[in-house]
Amino acid sequence: MSGKRQNHQLKLAFAVESRSETPRVADRGTETLAANRTTESPAKTDTLMAEVLERENLKEALRRVKANKGSAGMDGMTVQQLTRYLVKHWPEHRDQLLSGTYQPQPVRRVEIPKPDGGMRKLGIPSVLDRLIQQALLQVLQPMWDPTFSEHSYGFRPNRSARQAVAKAQQYIAEGYRIVVDFDLEKFFDRVNHDKLMGQVAKRITDKRVLKLIRAFLNAGVMEGGVVSPSAEGTPQGGPLSPLLSNLVLDELDRELERRGHRFVRYADDSNIYVRTERAGQRVMESVTRFITEKLKLKVNGEKSAVAKPQERKFLGFSFTGRAEPKRRIAPKAVKRFKERVREITRRRKGNSMGKRIEELKRYLTGWRGYFGFCQTPSVLAELDSWVRRRLRCIFWIQWKTRRRRFDELHRRGVERQLAANTAGSNHGPWRMSVSKALSAALSNAFFDSLGLPKLAAGR
């Protein structure tokens, strides 16, 4: 089937009856919810499912699922195969969704390394379930997001980790120089389904949507070929999970607001700022009790702490201990940066130098886009120097023989005698990387010509 014909048939499959008398939920409810900022305001409608299944909403959901790509779920269907599948089967699934009988597939469990060690468990839904979750998200998020706390920054439109870090910095500058740093142990795996659905039911009344969200929570997990039930948790990996996690932790936000705390939350990272360590210990004890007893979640005592902000990290950043604190890159983030650069450029990677440079360029650009927000440019300059030195080492190793090293140095403008002396040196690559000859042959200008981004530039 041609792509043009396939898209035409997909439009027909996504078509629904005109519902001009039913305004979009987002348009109807956002202004009221934003004004009231109440978590007790359900959408007074039983037509949410119809809005989820509107053709334009589904087309946008399909576009986003395709753009995000991602792995196949337990059924093995890929994003590339989804459109063809929908042409044939979507009317059947649409009827199931409208009647409240749709059953999601179990998610496929995968594990990825955490930046600070250990493994993070992800649950990968089928691509069809990702489409439906995305369509749900596009209707629910505009309704719910305006009701969330101004102190919440994670997984929200027009909010970012940078804003969260800047807000934390503001509290410290105002004299709140002790941080109560909470770590929620396996948060996404321990969300209480009944409590979560209670919060959802306060906001929507369409029973089909309620039943569908519950079905996604209870879909189960396939790991090692075995499907297990899921009695708790909202697995990371699906489009809807971040919104549901914010809904769960909005109760914590409201409690902290009620107590008058200065705090910042990004997903399950929550920091409260107080003036004294004694106050911090009191807050740690009382808030831990609230999280355990009211939210049915667990605080990781080993990773949580009451400390000075410069002794902790928040979203990859730390702060200087000055009267006017500055944002700095946390030591662990610097360590991870170097580990990743070593991995990209390592000697036995097998890629050509050109491919390594291209991969490194992508990584450096993304890393600078986030950590360029720091206020310690000397650290960025040091990392720039370290990256170039690392690359000089790799070039030196690749040149291998004395003859090749001499030729490369001389060809790149190094005087003949200096090139010969350098090529004949018995020193190791790391020491040679700062030699006069190699620094001249592989100058900063040379790396600029390759398009290698500078971390300390363009901030």
Side-chain angles (χ1 to χ4, degrees):
M1 185 184 297
S2 70
K4 188 173 182 180
R5 183 183 175 193
Q6 193 177 84
N7 288 334
H8 174 69
Q9 292 195 12
L10 184 58
K11 287 180 181 179
L12 295 178
F14 277 171
V16 295
E17 296 179 6
S18 173
R19 300 180 183 272
S20 58
E21 74 281 2
T22 305
R24 291 283 298 172
V25 170
D27 298 336
R28 179 176 60 243
T30 299
E31 291 184 4
T32 302
L33 290 171
N36 295 338
R37 288 188 68 246
T38 172
T39 60
E40 304 298 327
S41 298
K44 303 297 184 181
T45 177
D46 290 325
T47 61
L48 272 182
M49 185 61 79
E51 299 195 37
V52 170
L53 298 178
E54 283 183 355
R55 181 170 64 178
E56 292 305 313
N57 189 53
L58 290 170
K59 285 169 61 179
E60 176 62 15
L62 180 60
R63 185 191 69 79
R64 294 192 183 187
V65 168
K66 286 183 173 181
N68 291 335
K69 299 179 182 178
S71 304
M74 67 167 288
D75 61 358
M77 186 191 303
T78 65
V79 172
Q80 292 75 19
Q81 296 169 324
L82 178 58
T83 301
R84 183 181 292 273
Y85 176 86
L86 291 172
V87 168
K88 184 175 182 180
H89 297 285
W90 179 249
E92 171 192 347
H93 293 311
R94 178 176 173 272
D95 288 345
Q96 292 170 347
L97 290 163
L98 287 171
S99 64
T101 59
Y102 181 80
Q103 287 297 320
Q105 296 184 50
V107 299
R108 181 172 64 87
R109 175 75 79 200
V110 297
E111 293 186 344
I112 61 172
K114 290 183 179 180
D116 54 353
M119 302 297 290
R120 174 177 285 114
K121 292 185 177 182
L122 299 183
I124 308 300
S126 70
V127 289
L128 175 62
D129 287 339
R130 294 211 292 274
L131 170 71
I132 296 170
Q133 285 193 33
Q134 181 64 40
L136 265 173
L137 176 68
Q138 290 167 188
V139 171
L140 295 181
Q141 189 165 55
M143 291 169 50
W144 293 359
D145 190 78
T147 74
F148 291 153
S149 168
E150 63 181 288
H151 301 278
S152 168
Y153 292 87
F155 307 129
R156 299 184 62 188
N158 303 315
R159 288 187 160 240
S160 67
R162 281 188 169 193
Q163 292 173 335
V165 172
K167 191 65 177 180
Q169 182 182 16
Q170 177 188 325
Y171 290 143
I172 299 166
E174 291 172 353
Y176 296 86
R177 306 207 169 189
I178 296 294
V179 60
V180 185
D181 184 358
F182 286 97
D183 183 273
L184 298 180
E185 187 173 306
K186 298 182 179 178
F187 165 70
F188 287 92
D189 296 330
R190 296 194 173 189
V191 169
N192 184 284
H193 287 178
D194 292 335
K195 283 192 65 62
L196 171 55
M197 290 307 302
Q199 292 295 323
V200 174
K202 291 178 182 179
R203 296 167 181 263
I204 57 178
T205 58
D206 190 323
K207 293 182 179 179
R208 297 166 300 181
V209 176
L210 292 172
K211 188 175 180 180
L212 179 60
I213 293 175
R214 172 73 82 166
F216 278 123
L217 293 174
N218 293 339
V221 176
M222 185 185 77
E223 191 169 12
V226 178
V227 175
S228 304
S230 48
E232 60 181 2
T234 169
Q236 298 181 75
L240 200 56
S241 183
L243 180 64
L244 295 179
S245 70
N246 269 334
L247 184 58
V248 170
L249 292 176
D250 189 61
E251 191 173 350
L252 173 62
D253 296 341
R254 298 305 173 186
E255 178 64 17
L256 297 181
E257 288 179 346
R258 187 186 68 79
R259 299 183 185 189
H261 288 309
R262 289 159 177 79
F263 71 97
V264 181
R265 182 175 66 78
Y266 190 95
D268 55 338
D269 286 337
S270 186
N271 281 2
I272 304 172
Y273 294 87
V274 298
R275 290 190 183 276
T276 67
E277 185 172 350
R278 184 176 179 183
Q281 294 296 346
R282 286 200 306 269
V283 169
M284 174 66 82
E285 182 179 346
S286 63
V287 175
T288 296
R289 187 163 55 248
F290 176 84
I291 291 171
T292 303
E293 296 176 0
K294 299 290 283 188
L295 301 185
K296 309 301 181 185
L297 298 169
K298 185 176 181 181
V299 174
N300 187 326
E302 293 183 1
K303 294 185 177 180
S304 301
V306 176
K308 295 178 181 179
Q310 59 265 33
E311 297 171 356
R312 306 293 292 177
K313 65 179 178 68
F314 181 52
L315 302 177
F317 287 90
S318 184
F319 303 93
T320 61
R322 304 172 185 171
E324 294 184 6
K326 293 186 180 297
R327 298 182 296 271
R328 66 182 183 185
I329 305 170
K332 285 187 177 180
V334 173
K335 180 181 178 182
R336 288 197 298 270
F337 171 85
K338 290 187 174 182
E339 288 173 349
R340 180 61 180 142
V341 171
R342 288 189 186 101
E343 180 184 346
I344 293 171
T345 60
R346 70 180 182 268
R347 180 178 176 182
R348 297 175 182 172
K349 190 175 178 65
N351 288 341
S352 68
M353 197 63 184
K355 288 183 178 179
R356 292 187 214 181
I357 293 290
E358 287 302 314
E359 185 177 354
L360 186 59
K361 284 162 62 174
R362 290 193 295 271
Y363 177 69
L364 293 179
T365 299
W367 198 89
R368 183 183 66 187
Y370 184 74
F371 286 104
F373 183 55
C374 77
Q375 295 173 308
T376 50
S378 61
V379 175
L380 297 177
E382 288 171 7
L383 290 176
D384 274 331
S385 178
W386 180 86
V387 169
R388 292 191 293 265
R389 187 174 179 185
R390 171 77 182 170
L391 288 173
R392 290 185 185 109
C393 277
I394 301 302
F395 274 103
W396 189 250
I397 292 169
Q398 282 194 335
W399 292 342
K400 293 183 180 179
T401 66
R402 291 187 178 186
R403 184 70 215 183
R404 171 79 184 279
R405 288 170 176 173
F406 170 80
D407 289 343
E408 292 286 353
L409 292 173
H410 190 50
R411 182 173 65 83
R412 295 167 188 267
V414 177
E415 185 269 326
R416 191 176 191 86
Q417 187 59 50
L418 178 59
N421 292 341
T422 304
S425 173
N426 290 324
H427 292 306
W430 187 246
R431 181 165 176 178
M432 294 306 300
S433 65
V434 292
S435 66
K436 181 179 179 180
L438 200 55
S439 296
L442 303 176
S443 64
N444 293 349
F446 166 75
F447 290 116
D448 290 344
S449 72
L450 297 179
L452 196 71
K454 287 183 179 178
L455 301 177
R459 292 186 303 114

